[in-house]
Amino acid sequence: MASASVGEEEHNNNNKLILYSYWRSSCSFRLRIALNVKGLKYEYRAVNLLKGEQTHPEFLQLNPIGFVPVLVDGPAVIFDSFAIIMFLEDKYPQHPLLPTDIHKRAINFQAASIVSSSIQPLHNLNLLQKYIEEKVGPDEKLPWVQGVIRKGFTALEKLLKEHSGRYATGDEIFMADIFLAPQLHSAYKRFNIPMVQIGQVHLLISLIYFKEKCPLGKFVSCF
């Protein structure tokens, strides 16, 4: 991981966005998507979670809890993907990530909350390796994750079925899509859940969108 010091290089970088991220983190996925949708350029700094770089003192200066992503924007250092996305929405209003309709905004918040509070934290690295694998058993890790994801997707399907259009909550790309797409990708690619078990078209719209928007090599940069 590149060295970092709060109050030095990052704070003097004249509003250049710096993103501390890990390629497989779904929290980092969603932030990279938000930055790309808004057309914001940023410097990428990798934090290797498997090597424990998130526990290095220089990273803990940026985020005392030791999680990715972290965004540095001039003097502002923000961690937690939800907080960062709301910061971007307020500071960089181009390509809004929330609809103007107050009810649809609430639907987007609910979908984002289900992913970020009820699905993703229950299959993060610390829980899987330090609790499920060590204290329950390595053979229980995958069934645990699959059960958590299926429960969350069932709730999302019920939430979104009356509100979806071309995308998850209408005909524009919004926050719900940004949270859903990495979780769908992770469920299918990392945790071996067949798409037919994830839900109906309402949940698949987000992933289809990003495949269309980010074809081939460009798709990797979005995720």
Side-chain angles (χ1 to χ4, degrees), residues 204-220:
L204 300 179
I205 301 170
S206 297
L207 195 56
I208 292 169
Y209 168 80
F210 290 112
K211 283 185 177 180
E212 291 175 349
K213 188 175 180 63
C214 306
L216 301 176
K218 191 178 177 184
F219 180 67
V220 177

Side-chain angles (χ1 to χ4, degrees), residues 17 100 102 108 115 128 142 147 157 169 195:
L17 297 176
T100 55
I102 192 168
N108 275 268
V115 172
L128 291 182
L142 187 58
E157 178 72 17
T169 59
M195 282 293 182

Side-chain angles (χ1 to χ4, degrees), residues 1 14-15 17-18 24 28 30 34 41-42 49 53 80 82 93 107-108 114 120 134 136 161 173 194 211 218-219 221:
M1 182 186 74
N14 295 325
N15 297 324
L17 297 176
I18 301 172
R24 201 172 66 178
S28 298
R30 65 181 74 129
K41 295 182 179 180
Y42 59 92
L49 304 186
E53 291 179 350
D80 184 87
F82 207 126
I107 298 300
N108 275 268
I114 289 173
Q120 186 276 327
E134 293 182 7
V136 181
K161 66 180 180 181
I173 174 69
K211 283 185 177 180
K218 191 178 177 184
F219 180 67
S221 69

Side-chain angles (χ1 to χ4, degrees), residues 72-208:
V72 177
D73 184 3
V77 180
I78 311 108
F79 52 87
D80 184 87
S81 61
F82 207 126
I84 297 170
I85 288 171
M86 293 306 299
F87 171 83
L88 294 175
E89 185 71 351
D90 287 339
K91 185 170 181 180
Y92 303 99
Q94 67 269 28
H95 305 292
L97 303 178
L98 287 167
T100 55
D101 180 84
I102 192 168
H103 185 206
K104 286 199 172 185
R105 287 171 72 93
I107 298 300
N108 275 268
F109 286 135
Q110 288 177 84
S113 181
I114 289 173
V115 172
S116 63
S117 300
S118 301
I119 302 178
Q120 186 276 327
L122 297 179
H123 65 67
N124 69 19
L125 197 60
N126 285 335
L127 180 63
L128 291 182
Q129 288 188 344
K130 296 183 179 180
Y131 184 78
I132 301 297
E133 187 170 335
E134 293 182 7
K135 297 184 181 300
V136 181
D139 293 339
E140 297 302 317
K141 186 167 64 173
L142 187 58
W144 162 266
V145 174
Q146 290 176 337
V148 165
I149 292 174
R150 288 190 179 103
K151 181 179 179 181
F153 283 162
T154 298
L156 285 164
E157 178 72 17
K158 292 178 180 178
L159 172 68
L160 298 174
K161 66 180 180 181
E162 300 298 330
H163 304 282
S164 62
R166 187 180 178 195
Y167 308 123
T169 59
D171 293 331
E172 302 289 338
I173 174 69
F174 288 128
M175 180 183 285
D177 303 280
I178 286 171
F179 278 73
L180 277 168
Q183 191 62 63
L184 287 162
H185 185 267
S186 180
Y188 179 62
K189 291 288 189 180
R190 185 178 173 194
F191 298 118
N192 303 319
I193 299 181
M195 282 293 182
V196 293
Q197 296 180 18
I198 288 176
Q200 298 177 12
V201 67
H202 312 292
L203 288 184
L204 300 179
I205 301 170
S206 297
L207 195 56
I208 292 169

